[in-house]
Amino acid sequence: MDNDNDFTFCQVGSSVNQDGFEAQELVPGIGGITINDEFSSEVVGNGNGGFLWKGKSPNNSTSKEATVGSLSFKVIDTSSPKKSNELSRQAATEDAGSSVKVPQKSATRKPVARAKVPFEKGYSQMDWLKLTQTHPDLAGLNGQSNKRLISMNEVKQHRMEGSMWTVLKGRVYNLSPYMKFHPGGVDMLMKAVGKDCTSLFNKYHAWVNAEFLLEKCLVGTLDDSQ
């Protein structure tokens, strides 16, 4: 410099990140710098708009004075507390909105509850399997083939004890020998006698392998043409 009384003014402002929010200040609370000496008047730099004040500082500002060697300076904070609070609330709102939402579980359809009846002694499912391996004619065919076609009218005629027929998935079975072995009881199985019980069967235990369980009770195949 040619003259020691010349000064260079540097505007100090807070940096702004990509989201529009003020970044953390390296020296918090600095809004402008005032240099006082015998050759200069008070000049204040506004960090917000870049304007200069002479003589009197803004009403909403706070100032601190300090001295470094022969240099005396004043730190003026012109930031608005209200604006800072609004920015803080806005940032907190966006953080809350970006939080991970726990997906709600979709309602799953529960299977229909079955009322189980205690087995009588000798009528468990294991006892039934043993019976199917030893009894010669559980279906009551009396020598007839179980591959013949049977009409629905004929099925309806067999509702008596010893000959209780039903249709399950297109096949005709004699349920009489299985009545006491049914886990749901005799009354529930009686609802299938003389009818097509496929929908009733699928409602309560569609996973059961009925073809294997009632194999020895097969009477024939339902004739759909009649």
Side-chain angles (χ1 to χ4, degrees):
M1 295 183 182
D2 296 335
N3 191 339
D4 294 336
N5 295 329
D6 292 338
F7 299 97
T8 300
F9 292 87
C10 297
Q11 181 177 340
V12 180
S14 57
S15 59
V16 180
N17 59 25
Q18 295 180 355
D19 296 330
F21 298 107
E22 294 185 358
Q24 184 177 3
E25 301 180 12
L26 295 178
V27 183
I30 296 179
I33 296 176
T34 299
I35 301 176
N36 295 326
D37 60 20
E38 58 183 358
F39 300 103
S40 63
S41 60
E42 182 181 37
V43 181
V44 181
N46 184 353
N48 294 330
F51 297 101
L52 299 177
W53 296 286
K54 290 185 177 181
K56 185 179 181 180
S57 301
N59 294 330
N60 62 345
S61 64
T62 58
S63 62
K64 296 179 180 179
E65 295 185 356
T67 302
V68 178
S70 61
L71 177 64
S72 175
F73 60 92
K74 180 187 292 183
V75 178
I76 300 177
D77 183 7
T78 60
S79 62
S80 173
K82 181 178 180 182
K83 184 175 180 181
S84 300
N85 293 337
E86 291 178 354
L87 291 175
S88 299
R89 286 195 297 268
Q90 183 178 358
T93 303
E94 292 186 358
D95 291 341
S98 61
S99 60
V100 179
K101 296 182 179 180
V102 178
Q104 296 181 352
K105 294 183 179 180
S106 57
T108 56
R109 189 174 182 180
K110 296 182 179 180
V112 180
R114 295 182 297 152
K116 294 186 177 181
V117 178
F119 290 116
E120 296 182 20
K121 186 176 181 179
Y123 290 95
S124 68
Q125 292 297 291
M126 290 301 298
D127 292 325
W128 170 253
L129 293 177
K130 292 177 182 179
L131 183 62
T132 58
Q133 296 173 2
T134 57
H135 198 284
D137 188 16
L138 288 175
L141 293 174
N142 297 323
Q144 292 183 346
S145 172
N146 61 2
K147 295 182 181 180
R148 68 186 184 94
L149 294 177
I150 301 174
S151 66
M152 195 64 199
N153 289 332
E154 185 177 356
V155 173
K156 294 178 180 179
Q157 295 173 6
H158 291 266
R159 298 182 179 181
M160 303 297 293
E161 185 177 355
S163 183
M164 298 180 180
W165 291 7
T166 189
V167 177
L168 178 58
K169 299 180 181 180
R171 297 188 177 190
V172 181
Y173 297 97
N174 182 7
L175 297 178
S176 292
Y178 186 66
M179 282 291 176
K180 292 185 178 181
F181 293 91
H182 184 236
V186 175
D187 293 339
M188 179 61 71
L189 200 57
M190 283 297 297
K191 296 180 180 181
V193 175
K195 304 175 183 178
D196 189 328
C197 70
T198 303
S199 60
L200 184 64
F201 176 85
N202 290 335
K203 180 180 180 180
Y204 289 100
H205 36 55
W207 61 88
V208 176
N209 188 347
E211 294 182 4
F212 170 76
L213 190 65
L214 300 175
E215 181 182 7
K216 295 299 179 67
C217 296
L218 181 64
V219 177
T221 304
L222 181 66
D223 188 359
D224 293 331
S225 63
Q226 299 183 15

